[in-house]
Amino acid sequence: MSVEATIAELVADALGLEPSEVGLDATSESLAEWDSLRHLDVVLAVEQRFGIALTPEDIARGRSVRLLAALVRDRGRGG
Amino acid sequence: MSTEVSVRALRDAAKDATARGHVGAALEALGALHDRHPEQTNFVARALRALADASGFGSSLLLHVLRTGTFEPLVPHVVVAAGIHGVIPSVTLGDFSVVDVALRSPDADAALEGAAVVLVATRLADFVDRADPESVQKARSRAVELATSLRVFRRRSTATVLVTGVRERAGDDDPGSAASAFDDALAAELATIPSTALVDLATSFEAARGSPIDEARAKETGFAYTPEGARRFASALARHLVPVGGRRAKVVVSDLDGTLWHGVLGEDGADGIVVTAAHRAYQLALREAAARGAMLAIASKNDASHALDVLGTHPQCVVRPPDFATTRIGWGSKATALREIAAELHVGVDTLLFVDDHPLERAEVKRALPGVHVLSWPDSVEGLAEALLMHPALPSGRTAEDAGRADLVRADVARSRAEAESESPETFLASLDLRLLREELDASNLGRAAQLTQKTNQFNLTTRRRNEAALEAFAEGGGLVRLYRVVDRFGDHGLVGLALVTVDGEVAELDTFLMSCRVLGRSAETAMLADLVERLRAVGVTRLRASYVPTERNGPCRMMLPLHGFRLLDEDDRGTWYEASLEDVPEAPPWFAGRDALGKSP
């Protein structure tokens, strides 16, 4: 499973959606449930899964599946 | 990718088992996800709720959080940390930074008024700057101010109140620190407010892998925790929620090979058994658990006499056969052993905490007996002692009676022997020299009295659970509280009976009548009721009303009221109502040695 697909499933879990409802292009704009509080749930899960620590800037910027995947790859462990 | 395969398989197993109502299998899969794949917390939280809705698993708990930070991301972690042990919190949050106003004013927060448990979650930085030269004074004042708000709240609510300690790291232990000042001052205040406790985050955080707190994150988002921090916060909180939710363990059942000692007795022989430092620490932890009020038992697949011999004579063992209330050492299944242990010790299977190094044994027990607490095996046996002592279902041993439990068990064994050797039940009862002693409710027995209402299931007419605050409120509201202690020639059974009565002129109503199963079969209930009636007569009561509310466990007292002179008034799907004229209630049985035995506790 790609990093994007893993993250999409974690986003679905955080938002209370089925994994099929969150595509690889999902963003906090495209999904109503993805508000700033749920975003913190997503951040914690992504950090835990990939063993990385995101800075407050990362958290503010990483508001889509693809942006989070880029952050994960950037930190080295990448899936 | 093996991680993905494992996560997929466990998620599917959990969903599948939930759909089929297989609680044990669902919990096994969810437990594995929680232990091995911590990023799955959101999934596990939802799955636990779905399992509860589908199968009635677990008990729910209304938890309301008053907070000064962003608490929302902690909610799924809290649900899982307690839910995996059978207590599923329904969490509501108060408005940001509305704490004292909510506590002091009954109209400020409706969800607060309806909660069973209230958590006040704050951090030191929310009310004091560590760099401020006055920080210690300010921290102390804040603790006193919060305690005052809690006292106001306590006057109108009996909800259990938990407050997060603000000690988070090593430096906070310094007695001169503001964090210590706050925690110590608050702990002193809470000791005088019933049903409150400080949640010890520092001890939980100490075990964290990496830092639990991210100050930059706290400043930017209002949320202070790393994923590890969130997990550790939740497990510290679960240690309070699980007992409050009723999921306490009364017995720790331990395996032998690989658990109590290193080596397999059947293969390595007695000489091959080694008690390593880690195993010794675990044995000491078992003794600590016993000191806190748990009984100990053994369930092992071994030759019984060989195993007991090694346990009794191995020079490195620090637990010995007399430390264990009972053992099931043989070749049957562990699930059968656990069922038999529970039956022999007169406890529910769901009050057992099972410790076994073998994953297949743990899995078998989880599937066969979903109510049993199965200790999650740590990464290595070095972590076993801590895993046991930090388990949320283990008693915290706050009451003196908890600590004396091992002595009670030994006295029981002596009694059973005397019963087996006596000619008839009547001669046995007469030979016991039974006495019923009465106690008034006070600060020293309030904890045990509340515990009786929470833990007594079999001989309990109405099963109304009350915490210390609620019991105190009942007494202060004019209700009559009678506590009974039973003593015989083998020892003191301790406080084993409780009656709560409301009086309205000539008619009284029995709100609660319960008796510990420790004294079943002695007609102690007859003696207690006779004493209660004498007291009611003295205040002009002529009639006593009572009800029997059936539950899964209280069959043993179904006929108590009819057998004690009560006649049927009414019956519906909630229960059965009775009434008795006081003169129809029988006197105490003769083996409660006459009126002289009914007296005040020394």
Side-chain angles (χ1 to χ4, degrees):
Chain A
M1 211 154 100
S2 67
V3 173
E4 284 79 0
T6 304
I7 291 175
E9 190 174 74
L10 293 176
V11 169
D13 288 343
L15 270 44
L17 299 170
E18 287 302 309
S20 55
E21 295 176 88
V22 179
L24 305 187
D25 291 305
T27 74
S28 62
E29 306 288 306
S30 70
L31 291 171
E33 295 89 348
W34 195 336
D35 60 23
S36 51
L37 284 173
R38 290 267 179 260
H39 185 58
L40 287 170
D41 284 318
V42 171
V43 164
L44 288 180
V46 169
E47 287 183 317
Q48 192 108 60
R49 172 62 183 82
F50 295 102
I52 59 176
L54 296 177
T55 67
E57 295 73 37
D58 295 337
I59 295 175
R61 274 194 294 122
R63 290 187 174 264
S64 74
V65 172
R66 293 204 186 277
L67 284 170
L68 286 168
L71 281 165
V72 165
R73 287 202 175 87
D74 191 55
R75 297 306 143 101
R77 278 272 298 269
Chain B
M1 237 251 97
S2 67
T3 308
E4 260 77 38
V5 166
S6 163
V7 167
R8 176 79 31 240
L10 289 170
R11 285 169 71 124
D12 289 342
K15 283 205 185 100
D16 196 54
T18 300
R20 291 203 254 150
H22 292 172
V23 175
L27 283 175
E28 197 199 328
L30 292 174
L33 278 171
H34 177 58
D35 291 340
R36 293 187 240 145
H37 305 285
E39 80 285 355
Q40 297 293 314
T41 299
N42 291 307
F43 173 86
V44 176
R46 289 215 167 73
L48 280 169
R49 282 211 202 87
L51 182 62
D53 290 340
S55 71
F57 155 76
S59 57
S60 73
L61 192 69
L62 292 181
L63 169 66
H64 187 71
V65 184
L66 299 175
R67 42 52 178 270
T68 51
T70 303
F71 193 91
E72 286 80 349
L74 288 170
V75 174
H77 294 265
V78 169
V79 169
V80 173
I84 211 82
H85 297 288
V87 174
I88 304 181
S90 263
V91 186
T92 52
L93 305 184
D95 286 340
F96 194 83
S97 278
V98 176
V99 176
D100 296 82
V101 168
L103 289 171
R104 294 183 191 211
S105 162
D107 309 312
D109 185 337
L112 172 64
E113 307 306 312
V117 180
V118 175
L119 172 68
V120 178
T122 67
R123 298 184 66 228
L124 187 68
D126 299 334
F127 50 87
V128 130
D129 180 355
R130 270 174 223 262
D132 181 342
E134 310 255 282
S135 64
V136 171
Q137 255 85 290
K138 288 187 180 159
R140 229 176 258 135
S141 312
R142 176 60 198 140
V144 173
E145 182 185 35
L146 178 59
T148 307
S149 300
L150 290 175
R151 281 182 221 283
V152 173
F153 178 67
R154 177 53 76 236
R155 285 204 285 272
R156 69 175 192 275
S157 168
T158 58
T160 297
V161 179
L162 306 171
V163 184
T164 54
V166 298
R167 275 193 186 94
E168 286 171 349
R169 55 204 192 198
D172 294 344
D173 260 342
D174 166 12
S177 75
S180 289
F182 178 87
D183 279 6
D184 294 344
L186 188 61
E189 298 281 335
L190 294 185
T192 65
I193 311 175
S195 301
T196 62
L198 205 61
V199 179
D200 176 7
L201 295 177
T203 303
S204 202
F205 283 160
E206 223 175 303
R209 275 169 277 217
S211 174
I213 306 281
D214 182 331
E215 294 290 359
R217 176 169 302 188
K219 239 163 101 185
E220 289 298 319
T221 66
F223 185 71
Y225 307 99
T226 61
E228 240 324 75
R231 199 175 166 88
R232 297 291 166 177
F233 182 106
S235 70
L237 184 58
R239 297 189 71 208
H240 294 270
L241 296 179
V242 170
V244 169
R247 284 283 287 150
R248 283 177 198 83
K250 293 183 182 175
V251 188
V252 179
V253 183
S254 179
D255 172 48
L256 293 175
D257 297 324
T259 305
L260 202 75
W261 54 55
H262 174 77
V264 178
L265 183 57
E267 290 166 15
D268 307 324
D271 294 331
I273 297 306
V274 180
V275 179
T276 66
H279 289 289
R280 186 191 148 88
Y282 169 66
Q283 293 186 14
L284 290 172
L286 283 175
R287 283 169 51 170
E288 164 66 21
R292 289 195 209 167
M295 288 184 272
L296 302 180
I298 294 175
S300 167
K301 286 184 179 157
N302 250 306
D303 175 81
S305 59
H306 197 194
L308 286 169
D309 187 57
V310 170
L311 186 64
T313 59
H314 196 290
Q316 295 170 320
C317 276
V318 293
V319 285
R320 300 291 182 192
D323 294 320
F324 297 90
T326 190
T327 64
R328 284 293 182 278
I329 307 174
W331 304 103
S333 76
K334 292 287 171 94
T336 302
L338 292 176
R339 274 194 210 98
E340 288 176 9
I341 288 169
E344 182 180 331
L345 298 178
H346 302 296
V347 296
V349 159
D350 60 353
T351 67
L352 304 182
L353 172 53
F354 177 56
V355 186
D356 194 315
D357 69 309
H358 205 307
L360 292 182
E361 301 282 29
R362 296 197 299 273
E364 180 226 337
V365 166
K366 276 189 203 169
R367 243 176 268 131
L369 299 171
V372 170
H373 300 272
V374 177
L375 189 84
S376 287
W377 196 258
D379 291 336
S380 74
V381 75
E382 269 68 29
L384 185 58
E386 189 187 342
L388 175 62
L389 292 177
M390 296 289 270
H391 195 283
L394 201 65
S396 59
R398 272 170 309 164
T399 73
E401 297 236 1
D402 284 336
R405 197 164 292 243
D407 293 330
L408 293 176
V409 173
R410 262 181 234 118
D412 277 338
V413 171
R415 257 178 221 112
S416 300
R417 245 178 248 132
E419 186 166 9
E421 286 160 17
S422 98
E423 283 167 16
S424 70
E426 291 76 21
T427 46
F428 171 63
L429 286 171
S431 77
L432 280 176
D433 194 21
L434 280 158
R435 280 174 293 143
L436 182 78
L437 304 168
R438 208 171 39 236
E439 276 190 20
E440 297 300 317
L441 188 68
D442 64 29
S444 70
N445 57 32
L446 179 62
R448 171 61 181 161
Q451 204 182 63
L452 277 171
T453 72
Q454 291 153 19
K455 288 164 115 172
T456 309
N457 296 308
Q458 294 182 62
F459 210 99
N460 193 334
L461 287 177
T462 53
T463 316
R464 291 188 178 123
R465 310 294 190 190
R466 284 184 168 86
N467 63 14
E468 294 174 24
L471 209 48
E472 233 184 34
F474 183 90
E476 274 160 26
L480 180 67
V481 180
R482 295 293 252 196
L483 295 175
Y484 294 102
R485 176 183 291 274
V486 169
V487 176
D488 64 24
R489 66 179 171 93
F490 291 99
D492 185 350
H493 286 277
L495 283 178
V496 288
L498 176 81
L500 299 178
V501 185
T502 55
V503 177
D504 186 7
E506 282 191 20
V507 181
E509 189 171 315
L510 191 58
D511 169 287
T512 293
F513 187 93
L514 59 81
M515 193 175 71
S516 165
C517 52
R518 221 185 273 162
V519 288
L520 274 176
R522 310 275 186 263
S523 299
E525 67 274 20
T526 311
M528 287 176 205
L529 193 57
D531 174 83
L532 186 64
V533 155
E534 194 180 319
R535 174 82 175 94
L536 292 173
R537 201 176 275 132
V539 297
V541 171
T542 57
R543 282 178 293 141
L544 178 60
R545 295 221 174 109
S547 60
Y548 168 71
V549 177
T551 67
E552 252 181 41
R553 307 272 288 274
N554 72 349
C557 64
R558 188 172 58 87
M559 295 307 292
M560 183 202 150
L561 294 168
L563 289 171
H564 283 80
F566 285 76
R567 61 194 164 72
L568 182 67
L569 274 187
D570 194 9
E571 187 164 10
D572 64 27
D573 54 11
R574 273 183 302 149
T576 315
W577 275 258
Y578 298 88
E579 188 179 274
S581 299
L582 293 195
E583 65 258 22
D584 291 335
V585 177
E587 288 191 356
W591 48 83
F592 274 93
R595 302 235 146 220
D596 306 331
L598 297 176
K600 271 219 107 166
S601 226

